[in-house]
């Protein structure tokens, strides 16, 4: 996509201006979201109109005006061309999702990670997705693995409602059950000891929920996908720091970090990682 965008805007911008633009550009169904550096802000409407004219599926172009913020992990958006409609349908690995890019968190950049975790899941497992958002990980897992049950939890009511909608849209509502509320409260009231696998896709805060994730596991055993953010000078040191932080987060439990990798670079020298942690019974 970045080559495509470069070709599109090549007559308007210099090479170095273009490289800044194309590093943050997402197409989600009918919506295009991009970050525009301050130096190009005056040209935002030209950029947006060019995108709208050349990307067939695009109906709305939004500029991201804040980082991902708050408990709901949402961002502020400014419409710069097209219809003001932050709701769209998005396809991934033959599943369909209704997403609201303003009221909920959503990123197409996690698609490979979603499929990787689905591929690791076994038949008949029970899975808890502690920070489910609009339900993307859960639907992809359910599509590719004949799991027994998936429990979704999210504190944001808009995300919770879309996760119910998306489970129905993909005909998985018998297998996916959705809870709205704080993961700590929902785990202790309804999900203790039920799961074989737990997803923790909240890299900013997952370390504060490790006990709750372990509490979800049936007989204290299972796999936890622990997401984290790491600031580091290189990918190699990001892996080393991530490994040390994972070991620290799980130090109270008998465990084995089976796999750890960088999911994506989320900023300059700032990485999102995931560790696959096997938790065993006892200390
Ligand atoms: C990074 S997003 C999840 C992304 C999602 N898994 C996906 O692939 O699209 C993190 C989610 O955690 C939710 N969240 C934040 N704090 C929470 C808490 N204490 N309990 C439950 N959900 C929480 C947010 O509302 C947000 O939807």
């Amino acid at each position: 996509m970045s080559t495509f965008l470069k070709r599109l805007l090549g007559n308007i911008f210099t090479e170095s201006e273009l490289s800044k633009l194309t590093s943050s550009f997402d197409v989600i169904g009918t919506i295009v979201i991009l970050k525009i550096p301050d130096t190009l802000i005056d040209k935002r409407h030209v950029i947006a109109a060019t995108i709208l004219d050349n990307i067939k599926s695009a109906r709305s172009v939004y500029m991201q005006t804040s980082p991902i913020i708050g408990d709901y992990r949402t961002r502020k958006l400014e419409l710069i061309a097209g219809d003001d409609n932050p709701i769209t349908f998005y396809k991934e690995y033959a599943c369909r999702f209704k997403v609201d890019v303003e009221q909920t968190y959503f990123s197409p950049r996690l698609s490979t990670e979603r499929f990787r975790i689905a591929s690791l899941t076994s038949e008949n497992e029970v899975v808890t997705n502690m920070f489910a958002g609009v339900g993307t990980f859960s639907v992809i897992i359910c599509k590719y693995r004949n799991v027994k049950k998936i429990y979704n939890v999210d504190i944001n009511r808009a995300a919770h409602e879309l996760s119910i909608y998306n489970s129905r849209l993909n005909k998985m509502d018998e297998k996916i059950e959705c809870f709205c509320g704080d993961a700590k409260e929902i785990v202790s009231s309804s999900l203790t000891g039920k799961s074989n696998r737990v997803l923790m896709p909240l890299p900013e805060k997952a370390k504060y929920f490790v006990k709750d994730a372990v509490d979800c596991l049936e007989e204290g055993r299972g796999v936890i996908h622990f997401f984290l953010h790491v600031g580091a000078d290189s990918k190699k040191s990001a892996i080393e720091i991530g490994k040390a932080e994972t070991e620290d987060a799980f130090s109270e439990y008998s465990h084995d970090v089976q796999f750890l990798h960088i999911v994506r670079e989320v900023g300059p020298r700032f990485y999102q990682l995931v560790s696959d942690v096997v938790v065993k019974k006892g200390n």
Side-chain angles (χ1 to χ4, degrees):
M1 182 52 76
S2 88
T3 318
F4 171 67
L5 196 63
K6 271 185 187 166
R7 198 157 27 87
L8 221 61
L9 301 170
N11 294 337
I12 312 173
F13 298 110
T14 64
E15 238 344 91
S16 90
E17 286 174 330
L18 278 177
S19 63
K20 283 178 199 145
L21 254 185
T22 52
S23 63
S24 59
F25 172 82
D26 283 326
V27 182
I28 305 167
T30 55
I31 295 172
V32 176
I33 301 177
L34 69 164
K35 286 186 196 155
I36 300 184
D38 289 347
T39 48
L40 298 180
I41 210 85
D42 293 345
K43 296 183 181 167
R44 65 190 184 282
H45 295 294
V46 183
I47 298 168
T50 310
I51 289 172
L52 211 52
D53 282 350
N54 287 279
I55 298 181
K56 262 196 193 156
S57 61
R59 298 283 172 275
S60 316
V61 183
Y62 288 98
M63 177 174 77
Q64 184 172 332
T65 57
S66 81
I68 305 277
I69 45 172
D71 279 349
Y72 296 175
R73 311 310 300 146
T74 51
R75 57 197 154 187
K76 292 199 173 15
L77 298 172
E78 180 188 317
L79 182 78
I80 47 175
D83 308 335
D84 193 4
N85 180 8
I87 297 171
T88 188
F89 284 85
Y90 163 83
K91 260 195 194 162
E92 182 176 296
Y93 288 106
C95 300
R96 289 187 77 214
F97 299 97
K98 186 177 182 184
V99 300
D100 181 334
V101 296
E102 203 162 51
Q103 301 294 321
T104 67
Y105 177 91
F106 178 75
S107 174
R109 296 179 190 212
L110 290 170
S111 62
T112 308
E113 185 57 26
R114 291 191 266 265
F115 192 69
R116 187 189 74 86
I117 292 182
S119 309
L120 294 174
T121 307
S122 304
E123 304 255 311
N124 283 319
E125 279 191 14
V126 177
V127 179
T128 294
N129 185 351
M130 285 177 80
F131 311 109
V134 302
T136 30
F137 272 98
S138 305
V139 167
I140 301 280
I141 291 172
C142 212
K143 171 87 179 173
Y144 292 96
R145 287 295 183 264
N146 188 19
V147 289
K148 199 186 277 176
K149 189 91 191 168
I150 303 190
Y151 298 110
N152 279 347
V153 184
D154 205 284
I155 201 167
N156 176 357
R157 183 151 292 278
H160 165 72
E161 279 167 11
L162 283 170
S163 76
I164 295 173
Y165 184 97
N166 289 327
S167 304
R168 285 192 190 135
L169 184 65
N170 292 280
K171 302 189 172 42
M172 295 165 182
D173 44 320
E174 282 187 10
K175 287 209 172 168
I176 302 179
E177 189 175 342
C178 304
F179 294 84
C180 186
D182 173 57
K184 281 186 189 293
E185 287 169 22
I186 303 286
V187 169
S188 91
S189 65
S190 312
L191 299 178
T192 301
K194 290 188 170 173
S195 294
N196 312 107
R197 184 177 298 275
V198 179
L199 276 61
M200 305 183 76
L202 180 62
E204 303 76 12
K205 287 194 184 166
K207 64 181 174 193
Y208 303 115
F209 291 83
V210 168
K211 178 189 177 299
D212 312 283
V214 174
D215 285 350
C216 288
L217 296 175
E218 188 183 349
E219 296 182 3
R221 292 191 193 101
V223 180
I224 297 180
H225 300 285
F226 177 67
F227 287 70
L228 64 165
H229 278 160
V230 167
D233 287 338
S234 67
K235 290 188 174 178
K236 187 167 173 273
S237 62
I239 297 273
E240 284 164 9
I241 296 168
K243 176 87 165 61
E245 290 194 7
T246 307
E247 292 294 353
D248 187 45
F250 284 85
S251 60
E252 287 182 28
Y253 307 97
S254 174
H255 73 278
D256 183 19
V257 179
Q258 276 205 333
F259 179 76
L260 180 150
H261 80 141
I262 294 176
V263 177
R264 57 189 180 138
E265 200 169 340
V266 284
R269 293 181 294 284
F270 201 54
Y271 301 90
Q272 183 176 129
L273 278 72
V274 68
S275 306
D276 299 343
V277 185
V278 176
V279 176
K280 307 158 196 170
K281 202 174 167 84
N283 286 347

